[in-house]
Amino acid sequence: MTPEAQHIELEGIDSSLLVREKSERRVGLPPLPNAVQGNVVMRFAPGPSGPLHLGHTRVAILNDDYCRTYDGKFINRIEDTNPDKIDPDAYDMIPEDLEWLGVKVHQTVVQSDRFELYYDVARRIIELGKAYICTCSVEEWRGLKEKCLPCPHHEEDVATTMEKFEKMLAGHYEEGKAILVVKTDLKHPNPAIRDFVGFRIVTSTPHPLKGSKYCVYPMMNFSVATDDHLLGLTHVLRGKDHLNNTLRQAYMFNYLGWEKPHYTHYGLVSVPDAILKTSTVGIGIRSGEYSGWDDVRLGTVRALAKRGFQAEAIRAYWVDCGIKETDVEFSWDNIYAYNKAIVDKVANRYFFVWDPVPLQICGAQELSAKVPVHPDHPELGMREFHMTSPIIINVVEKDLQNAMEAGRVRLKDLGNVEFRSGKATYLGNDLSILKEGVRIIHWVPDNCYPASVHMPTGEVKDGFVEVLPKTEEGKVVQFERFGFVKVEKVAPKLVAYFTH
RNA sequence: GCUCCCGUAGUGUAGUCCGGCCAAUCAUGAAGCCCUCUCGAGGCUUCGACUCGGGUUCAAAUCCCGACGGGAGCACCA
């Protein structure tokens, strides 16, 4: 029977079966599995190697969004268990960045405050016979693991292991000479899962906060599993690159009888044309290549803020992106679109002329123009210009070339001009000229300010800008036919950063 | 090499769990048109995708198998 025939026959039997509820297109994030309203605990866990960048914003915002939806608790957990990769300033910069992003933090936890807790858990795992102290060389231990073979320490008894662990804590071993290994399954087909390092010895680099108080440092898998349990996490969002870490950490949860949080692994994001790598940027700042963490060429949160991005646009972007396991390519176009939707409504319009060339207009003794501050908001008033002979304005070089070729051009809100033998002559102010296909260009009067607009490429666009009120400092405005910019300073020279 | 994950337009996304109203959603982009005033603003129109091959079924983007493609992990980093 064809589908059509079935349809007809079904109609005869029970036509209500043919009506299906329209499934609405889902808005926002998918529901969190097993989430109970008011009983959700999530975390954001950055390493304090620098301020936050675009890559961090995804998981920060997703966690925050879910916490808001379920009236949950957001924990900011600073993972500072590798003293080699800590920038002490990051302890302050990370909360600042989260605040700018509009992320509500309910609790802040610093892992270096919790070493004793990790040691306690280590002792419990040792007692369960699920850990050993290995003093083999790195290559030896790794090589055996690859062949599914135990190292000589794997079967040492609990008392011996405990004694060695206490000796580690007491500083009896040098850096690199002993590790605590958590047993998993040496025969596991996935080599990434077999026995993992729980603690190592670090003595060469003092901890920026704790100095040389500790010499035994937990590895990420150990401290993360411990804290995810102790902090009562219900849901964990993490990148797909942690898939194997989740499996490793599951061993600890199982040994200790802990209830596992619900894990969601999202796909990796590749951000084209962005400088994100914290270590690279740090070097660049020290060498003077970058002006600082907020250099507009960078993909840091503070650089985006400086450029005039709205936190709400970044949030909308990531919520739209969702949390699938598919890898995604970050789209500047899409985030610009979200930002534009927000900023376009509130950005006042001004004329900025880049690549400026002077243009004298003949045939008029005086000219004036009234231009709306915002075309959609007449109540914001008009920018007024008044010029007397000789009337000289500045226009964009390329615009002038095109205009001369075309023969006529419309100066926005000022008047029409005609070009004859290289001279520009005023042609009245009749707008019907537009019907004839004449182009509109913008301009600035002769008595205006110089301006520099810093582009995210590092390029600087110099030109002239009309006089902006001081109240625009710190705000995003639109330079017509140029783009949106965030104004840093209006006088005596305007400085602005290009948004998009 | 071993293990795991993922494949819907240029990009992101909805639909996939529970096969049918999906000749596949929304946004972005591109192209074109409109606008008495931003061809870098706004409005409208158009373009464009279920990775491939088998199987199951009356019916497959959706279920099964295989191939191919992409990504990640196999650290005394996080």
Side-chain angles (χ1 to χ4, degrees):
Chain A
M1 206 189 299
T2 66
E4 290 77 20
Q6 293 175 49
H7 189 277
I8 292 163
E9 190 169 324
L10 237 189
E11 206 159 33
I13 300 164
D14 183 355
S15 61
S16 71
L17 291 175
L18 291 169
V19 186
R20 189 214 254 175
E21 278 175 43
K22 258 191 195 162
S23 52
E24 293 280 311
R25 186 188 150 80
R26 207 199 69 230
V27 273
L29 294 172
L32 209 49
N34 308 324
V36 177
Q37 193 72 28
N39 199 19
V40 165
V41 183
M42 304 184 78
R43 46 81 162 173
F44 173 60
S49 54
L52 302 184
H53 60 64
L54 204 44
H56 295 107
T57 63
R58 182 182 193 187
V59 68
I61 281 167
L62 256 28
N63 275 302
D64 180 63
D65 221 77
Y66 276 127
C67 282
R68 285 171 192 273
T69 303
Y70 292 101
D71 194 21
K73 178 178 172 185
F74 183 109
I75 298 172
N76 179 29
R77 190 172 71 206
I78 307 286
E79 304 203 328
D80 56 345
T81 54
N82 179 5
D84 280 327
K85 286 188 183 170
I86 296 174
D87 174 354
D89 293 338
Y91 291 96
D92 293 325
M93 293 194 286
I94 290 169
E96 284 166 13
D97 290 342
L98 289 174
E99 190 180 348
W100 182 83
L101 282 167
V103 168
K104 173 84 180 143
V105 177
H106 298 94
Q107 185 185 351
T108 301
V109 171
V110 177
Q111 287 193 316
S112 59
D113 288 339
R114 303 166 64 82
F115 277 31
E116 299 298 344
L117 294 171
Y118 308 135
Y119 297 157
D120 286 344
V121 172
R123 293 187 184 102
R124 288 177 58 191
I125 291 188
I126 292 168
E127 277 164 11
L128 292 166
K130 297 300 184 186
Y132 56 97
I133 306 295
C134 177
T135 50
C136 302
S137 73
V138 180
E139 299 73 26
E140 218 176 317
W141 181 69
R142 229 184 260 165
L144 287 166
K145 223 168 60 149
E146 217 161 282
K147 296 186 203 99
C148 295
L149 295 172
C151 88
H153 311 94
H154 189 272
E155 296 308 331
E156 280 180 346
D157 61 51
V158 171
T160 310
T161 302
M162 193 64 87
E163 192 191 319
K164 286 186 173 176
F165 183 61
E166 298 301 339
K167 280 171 79 179
M168 272 175 81
L169 294 176
H172 282 249
Y173 296 99
E174 286 171 43
E175 185 166 309
K177 297 295 185 201
I179 51 174
L180 178 133
V181 179
V182 176
K183 295 182 191 174
T184 61
D185 176 3
L186 272 180
K187 301 277 192 296
H188 201 288
N190 183 349
I193 307 300
R194 297 172 203 152
D195 288 13
F196 64 90
V197 182
F199 289 84
R200 62 172 175 155
I201 291 168
V202 180
T203 49
S204 55
T205 310
H207 192 282
L209 260 35
K210 302 296 171 187
S212 299
K213 186 173 176 190
Y214 302 104
C215 60
V216 176
Y217 280 68
M219 301 300 293
M220 172 266 202
N221 276 302
F222 200 96
S223 50
V224 163
T226 301
D227 280 338
D228 282 354
H229 167 70
L230 293 179
L231 298 170
L233 284 253
T234 59
H235 296 79
V236 172
L237 311 182
R238 53 193 340 195
K240 249 176 28 174
D241 50 332
H242 285 296
L243 232 25
N244 286 327
N245 289 323
T246 300
L247 295 173
R248 291 200 266 227
Q249 290 162 26
Y251 282 89
M252 284 177 60
F253 279 84
N254 291 338
Y255 293 155
L256 296 159
W258 293 343
E259 191 186 339
K260 286 189 270 288
H262 183 279
Y263 296 92
T264 304
H265 296 92
Y266 57 85
L268 268 24
V269 185
S270 67
V271 184
D273 309 316
I275 303 159
L276 300 180
K277 205 154 181 277
T278 307
S279 52
T280 314
V281 175
I283 293 165
I285 291 173
R286 282 191 291 278
S287 74
E289 161 76 15
Y290 300 119
S291 62
W293 290 109
D294 65 348
D295 190 301
V296 289
R297 287 168 289 178
L298 302 175
T300 55
V301 166
R302 37 201 67 209
L304 296 176
K306 190 176 181 182
R307 277 176 63 183
F309 272 87
Q310 306 299 300
E312 275 307 312
I314 298 173
R315 177 178 298 262
Y317 178 85
W318 289 124
V319 169
D320 176 57
C321 202
I323 189 157
K324 300 201 308 179
E325 284 196 33
T326 321
D327 293 344
V328 297
E329 189 183 345
F330 181 83
S331 164
W332 288 103
D333 275 341
N334 288 12
I335 200 165
Y336 289 165
Y338 280 115
N339 200 59
K340 187 174 73 187
I342 295 169
V343 123
D344 183 60
K345 293 196 238 53
V346 295
N348 292 332
R349 270 54 170 176
Y350 296 100
F351 287 160
F352 161 66
V353 171
W354 62 98
D355 301 334
V357 286
L359 176 67
Q360 179 163 3
I361 299 173
C362 310
Q365 282 308 302
E366 55 181 321
L367 285 177
S368 33
K370 284 177 133 187
V371 192
V373 170
H374 194 297
D376 301 332
H377 299 289
E379 72 280 6
L380 292 175
M382 310 290 270
R383 298 126 64 196
E384 299 193 16
F385 301 91
H386 189 77
M387 290 168 282
T388 53
S389 180
I391 294 168
I392 297 167
I393 59 170
N394 289 286
V395 295
V396 178
E397 186 177 17
K398 182 77 182 155
D399 283 341
L400 182 62
Q401 279 173 20
N402 292 340
M404 288 174 82
E405 278 168 35
R408 288 182 301 174
V409 76
R410 166 78 190 168
L411 296 167
K412 188 170 186 285
D413 299 297
L414 181 68
N416 310 325
V417 291
E418 183 176 38
F419 294 91
R420 243 179 284 148
S421 50
K423 269 180 67 177
T425 309
Y426 184 63
L427 211 59
N429 197 13
D430 184 358
L431 276 172
S432 61
I433 193 172
L434 296 175
K435 288 281 181 211
E436 297 162 42
V438 169
R439 296 299 173 98
I440 300 166
I441 65 170
H442 68 289
W443 49 276
V444 287
D446 206 21
N447 60 335
C448 53
Y449 287 144
S452 290
V453 178
H454 295 257
M455 309 300 284
T457 54
E459 189 192 353
V460 179
K461 294 262 193 194
D462 288 312
F464 294 113
V465 69
E466 63 178 276
V467 178
L468 269 68
K470 186 151 175 75
T471 50
E472 296 288 20
E473 284 184 358
K475 291 189 184 158
V476 175
V477 302
Q478 186 195 104
F479 284 164
E480 292 193 35
R481 305 211 305 135
F482 180 73
F484 294 92
V485 302
K486 184 169 175 200
V487 180
E488 170 100 359
K489 200 157 157 286
V490 297
K493 177 183 182 180
L494 180 136
V495 177
Y497 299 97
F498 187 73
T499 315
H500 48 76

